[in-house]
Amino acid sequence: MAVISFPSGFLTGTTIFALPGAMRFGIGSERRLRRRNDRGKHKAENSRQAGRRVSAFLIAFAIVVSFASQGAFASTGSAMTPAKATTTAADCPAVIFIGARGSGEKDASKRDPTTKVKDSGLGPELDGLYQQMAADLNDKLKVRPLFVVYAAADVKVLGLSKKEAAQLAGYIAVGGTAGFVDYYVKKHLNEYLASIDEGIKSATAELTTEATQCPNARFVLAGYSQGALVMHELLLNLSDNADKGDAASQALLRRITATALIADPGRKSKTAAMKSGTADFSAQGIKSFLTVGERDVPTPSSTYDICNLGDFVCDFSWAVLLDSIAGNSSGFNVHKYSYQNNQLVRNIGSKIATSLLGQLPGVVDHLSISPPTASVTTGTPQTYTATAIDPFNKPLGDVTAETTFGISPDGECKGNVCTPALPGPHTVKGVRDLVSGIATLTATPIHPPAGDVVYTVQDTNGLQNIWLRHALDGSTVQLTTNGGQFPDVSPDGTRIAYIAADPNPSTPTYITWLMNSDGTNATALDPQTPANTYSDLSPRWSPDGTQISITRNYAWDQFGYNNNNGYSDLFILSASTGTATEVTSDHQSYGPASWSPDGQRLAYYTRPMGLAVANKNGSNVHALALTENTQLYDPEWAPSGERIYVDTDTAGIRYLDSSDGFVTPAPAPAQWLMPVPRFRDYYPRVSADGSTVVFAGFDRCPDNAITNTCFGFNLFTVSSSGGIPTQLTSTTGAFTPSLVKE
């Protein structure tokens, strides 16, 4: 308890002033009930205090305390359902206007004693806005106004009795006011702040109940002064719940056509809401000015903020406060300029009416384009339909014939049939009378038929590029022009992994790239950082198309660059991110590594073991096969898993059956696939059905003549059971083939 002795003569005798401890913010439900029952008593007491005078310091200090010490207003939890008669669907209007009156304005239970007319309960400011909105709607929409049932405590509750004012003056006289704070909060501010908390809950309950009983109604929310803060906080609560995934809050936000906030205490400086009035763009409400962390309205495109210059509530500053008090001989002026019968307020009512008329049932709000999502091969047409949709998401009928369709970023639409020209995501847009709708169309790369071969060709200048040979007619097409080698087609046939120069021209190394199977959308999968540390070779897709094995050749080691000390290891790259995982660390492993059909093992060449098999994480390594004075390279696992084909460092292609030991650690000799060849054969690749093997090799000159033609690489095919090969290409320089298998 704090005790103060005032100077002699200031009050009669010596006054002992007892101050309680800090009050908990808020009022319990029982107190709210008592306050509602005694509302007449409160108003009578307020009337008796109307003539009291309060100093500028007192008002400034009291409001600072109310906001700074109490923090943000209490938010609502689940909505309360007010006691009211159930509304039938036939009684539901198209628009429901919910208004929260300002501080001290009377509720609808009172009648004007002179006119005997019952007040609307909205207060004169909101009533003017509502009447203008209703007049502009001109009976085109049925509208019903509802007022928020809450105390709307008068700002007079912030005033002091003569005794309290004298006691505060005594505190100031002895150099401190801290002892008065708790008393003032308990006796004055808590009621004012609790009124706003009550208003938020009541407004939320009203909105929730009406939305349930009238599922097709649109809503307009409005608030003046204290009531504006009620609606501001209501929107924030709905938005917060919607962000957490609450479907009911999301639905309510969609149904609120407009919100009008007149003299909002929570007005954020430079608010994104639609601004009206004479206040500066940077004006702040008193709550926003004095409280850290205040937030702007969450629906700025449908919220109107109305504030006049110098308004104590929505354009607060200490200078405005003092000016308001000095300009009003009867006490401080909360709202310096009136919003009653104000043209700018009526203009907002007209703007809201225009928005509502644009949402009439039967009026087209947007188009629904169907199918909303689709995927086609590049160059394949997709047919669309358009349906007109009203603001309540009800279909109004098929308008395809009246809709103009377009596609971007490429392609064309003929009527309602749209065709993408290049692979990738596309947007299809339909427009009818300035109303539109969109759909998403994904164009996948042209899928080469199974049996087509992708391969490398080296031209006479030594530049290597990637080509495609069509199995149907033997025709060929060049896929890259800026270099590319070691292509491997993805299991689904849509993409090609290959090796090309790093995109950084200052990095003279080769890395793994991906492109669509038609040669488009070439993307570096693993650009190097730092530069010049390694080069990639021999990419091979995993059976599920999610990973790519490569050989990574390090020309630099921990001792610096040294040709003799360079080394290679196997890595696996993520096909989506390029993230590399090391498989071997012996510095002697070379690709290409062939994946087992189940995707769990890799076959590859490693020194000094020769051909080896290991789990894809590098564990359980064992020798696969031994041959006499021959090393085995470029393994290719047959789709059945029962055979592996390899090339050799001496001559033609060989194979190992499962019985020869590539499942168990026992080495076994490799068998010849074809009769002893005259020249070398490389890169065996098995067809999807396992019936044929495609490979690259030298031309087979019948007389063994050593000529340029005989030593030019070409592609060949042979039965997987062996025999005489057939030449596929006639372009000298073809090697490293990869088969399209789907």
Side-chain angles (χ1 to χ4, degrees):
M1 176 180 294
V3 180
I4 279 288
S5 295
F6 290 95
S8 177
F10 187 78
L11 295 175
T12 302
T14 302
T15 301
I16 304 298
F17 187 51
L19 297 174
M23 283 290 294
R24 180 178 60 86
F25 174 56
I27 298 179
S29 58
E30 293 184 12
R31 182 176 175 184
R32 290 194 183 95
L33 182 59
R34 291 198 303 271
R35 185 178 63 250
R36 289 182 180 177
N37 294 336
D38 297 334
R39 188 171 295 160
K41 296 179 182 179
H42 282 294
K43 291 184 177 291
E45 175 62 21
N46 288 335
S47 177
R48 287 194 295 271
Q49 296 178 5
R52 294 172 184 147
R53 302 294 182 265
V54 185
S55 69
F57 176 85
L58 167 62
I59 298 301
F61 177 76
I63 294 176
V64 169
V65 170
S66 72
F67 290 115
S69 66
Q70 301 304 327
F73 293 107
S75 62
T76 67
S78 59
M80 298 165 53
T81 303
K84 58 178 292 183
T86 302
T87 302
T88 64
D91 296 330
C92 284
V95 180
I96 298 175
F97 182 98
I98 302 178
R101 66 193 189 281
S103 301
E105 294 183 333
K106 62 185 177 181
D107 63 21
S109 65
K110 304 298 180 183
R111 295 177 181 269
D112 188 299
T114 58
T115 63
K116 304 289 183 66
V117 176
K118 191 175 181 179
D119 188 85
S120 67
L122 297 173
E125 295 80 11
L126 298 188
D127 191 65
L129 187 150
Y130 167 75
Q131 296 297 342
Q132 184 66 56
M133 182 194 79
D136 286 5
L137 291 177
N138 194 26
D139 295 328
K140 294 179 181 178
L141 285 175
K142 182 181 177 182
V143 187
R144 180 169 68 210
L146 297 173
F147 61 89
V148 177
V149 178
Y150 81 120
D154 199 311
V155 289
K156 294 175 183 177
V157 74
L158 298 175
L160 299 176
S161 68
K162 290 182 180 180
K163 181 179 180 180
E164 289 171 331
Q167 290 169 339
L168 176 61
Y171 270 79
I172 296 172
V174 297
T177 58
F180 192 81
V181 173
D182 291 338
Y183 170 83
Y184 185 83
V185 169
K186 175 184 177 182
K187 294 295 185 181
H188 296 275
L189 292 188
N190 271 348
E191 182 174 351
Y192 182 79
L193 298 179
S195 172
I196 296 172
D197 183 27
E198 177 192 13
I200 297 170
K201 292 183 179 180
S202 180
T204 303
E206 195 73 38
L207 176 63
T208 303
T209 301
E210 293 296 330
T212 301
Q213 295 180 350
C214 297
N216 292 328
R218 308 291 287 182
F219 291 93
V220 175
L221 307 182
Y224 168 57
S225 190
Q226 183 182 154
L229 186 56
V230 166
M231 293 307 185
H232 187 147
E233 294 290 329
L234 184 153
L235 289 177
L236 286 172
N237 290 339
L238 284 178
S239 179
D240 289 343
N241 290 335
D243 290 343
K244 295 174 184 176
D246 181 60
S249 297
Q250 294 168 354
L252 283 175
L253 284 173
R254 287 194 296 268
R255 293 174 62 182
I256 299 173
T257 295
T259 303
L261 305 179
I262 304 175
D264 178 16
R267 186 185 199 267
K268 189 74 172 174
S269 178
K270 301 180 181 179
T271 176
M274 296 176 284
K275 293 169 286 295
S276 294
T278 57
D280 187 76
F281 178 53
S282 61
Q284 286 183 271
I286 185 172
K287 180 174 184 284
S288 177
F289 186 93
L290 298 174
T291 306
V292 176
E294 291 306 296
R295 295 184 291 166
D296 200 3
V297 291
T299 54
S301 63
S302 62
T303 301
Y304 297 89
D305 181 278
I306 309 162
C307 181
N308 280 329
L309 180 68
D311 188 312
F312 178 84
V313 174
C314 61
D315 183 20
F316 179 84
S317 69
W318 299 121
V320 168
L321 171 62
L322 296 175
D323 182 61
S324 299
I325 297 170
N328 189 342
S329 60
S330 63
F332 74 93
N333 185 6
V334 176
H335 299 292
K336 187 174 183 181
Y337 300 102
S338 173
Y339 299 92
Q340 297 182 27
N341 300 316
N342 188 295
Q343 185 59 49
L344 70 87
V345 174
R346 291 195 294 271
N347 288 343
I348 299 302
S350 294
K351 291 179 180 179
I352 294 175
T354 300
S355 296
L356 290 167
L357 289 172
Q359 299 175 353
L360 279 167
V363 172
V364 179
D365 179 74
H366 64 279
L367 301 182
S368 174
I369 308 301
S370 184
T373 59
S375 179
V376 297
T377 303
T378 301
T380 301
Q382 174 66 50
T383 301
Y384 287 93
T385 60
T387 303
I389 307 294
D390 76 2
F392 304 97
N393 279 327
K394 293 184 178 179
L396 301 175
D398 189 299
V399 291
T400 304
E402 307 159 28
T403 301
T404 301
F405 291 87
I407 184 172
S408 61
D410 55 71
E412 64 174 349
C413 293
K414 294 181 178 180
N416 63 323
V417 180
C418 299
T419 306
L422 296 174
H426 292 71
T427 298
V428 174
K429 185 175 183 179
V431 180
R432 174 184 178 270
D433 296 335
L434 302 180
V435 179
S436 64
I438 61 173
T440 300
L441 178 63
T442 301
T444 59
I446 297 174
H447 193 308
D452 284 8
V453 184
V454 177
Y455 58 101
T456 305
V457 172
Q458 180 172 302
D459 62 24
T460 55
N461 295 320
L463 180 64
Q464 296 177 350
N465 273 299
I466 298 173
W467 289 64
L468 173 69
R469 178 188 183 276
H470 295 294
L472 181 63
D473 57 8
S475 61
T476 59
V477 59
Q478 187 172 344
L479 300 181
T480 66
T481 58
N482 296 321
Q485 55 185 313
F486 297 104
D488 194 58
V489 182
S490 64
D492 64 2
T494 62
R495 292 187 292 174
I496 298 172
Y498 64 104
I499 302 300
D502 192 289
N504 184 351
S506 65
T507 306
T509 56
Y510 288 82
I511 63 170
T512 305
W513 290 65
L514 295 180
M515 65 178 172
N516 295 330
S517 54
D518 59 2
T520 60
N521 194 32
T523 304
L525 185 60
D526 62 336
Q528 294 188 36
T529 304
N532 304 332
T533 58
Y534 55 77
S535 282
D536 291 347
L537 291 170
S538 307
R540 299 294 296 274
W541 287 90
S542 64
D544 63 3
T546 64
Q547 297 176 303
I548 301 169
S549 65
I550 60 167
T551 299
R552 185 154 282 179
N553 180 17
Y554 288 83
W556 282 256
D557 61 16
Q558 64 270 31
F559 303 108
Y561 177 75
N562 187 310
N563 282 324
N564 295 325
N565 287 342
Y567 59 87
S568 295
D569 280 312
L570 293 181
F571 285 78
I572 292 177
L573 302 180
S574 166
S576 59
T577 66
T579 302
T581 302
E582 189 174 51
V583 177
T584 67
S585 57
D586 58 9
H587 299 349
Q588 296 292 330
S589 298
Y590 300 90
S594 178
W595 294 77
S596 62
D598 63 5
Q600 299 304 306
R601 291 177 294 167
L602 295 171
Y604 58 94
Y605 174 78
T606 180
R607 294 194 186 113
M609 189 178 295
L611 201 61
V613 161
N615 295 332
K616 66 178 182 179
N617 63 3
S619 64
N620 194 26
V621 183
H622 65 268
L624 187 66
L626 296 177
T627 57
E628 56 287 351
N629 301 319
T630 299
Q631 294 184 1
L632 308 180
Y633 300 98
D634 302 317
E636 170 77 348
W637 223 303
S640 65
E642 297 178 351
R643 178 175 288 189
I644 292 180
Y645 295 88
V646 294
D647 68 30
T648 69
D649 64 351
T650 56
I653 294 172
R654 297 186 178 190
Y655 64 88
L656 299 95
D657 285 327
S658 59
S659 59
D660 293 329
F662 64 80
V663 174
T664 65
Q671 308 298 315
W672 290 104
L673 176 63
M674 297 172 287
V676 178
R678 298 184 179 90
F679 301 102
R680 294 268 318 265
D681 301 317
Y682 300 85
Y683 315 110
R685 300 293 183 262
V686 185
S687 62
D689 62 4
S691 63
T692 59
V693 177
V694 174
F695 61 93
F698 291 119
D699 285 345
R700 299 176 185 281
C701 300
D703 56 359
N704 285 339
I706 301 176
T707 65
N708 289 336
T709 301
C710 290
F711 284 94
F713 269 105
N714 272 295
L715 301 184
F716 295 84
T717 183
V718 66
S719 169
S720 59
S721 60
I724 303 299
T726 300
Q727 185 171 324
L728 296 179
T729 61
S730 58
T731 303
T732 300
F735 59 103
T736 64
S738 178
L739 285 167
V740 178
K741 297 185 177 181
E742 287 191 6

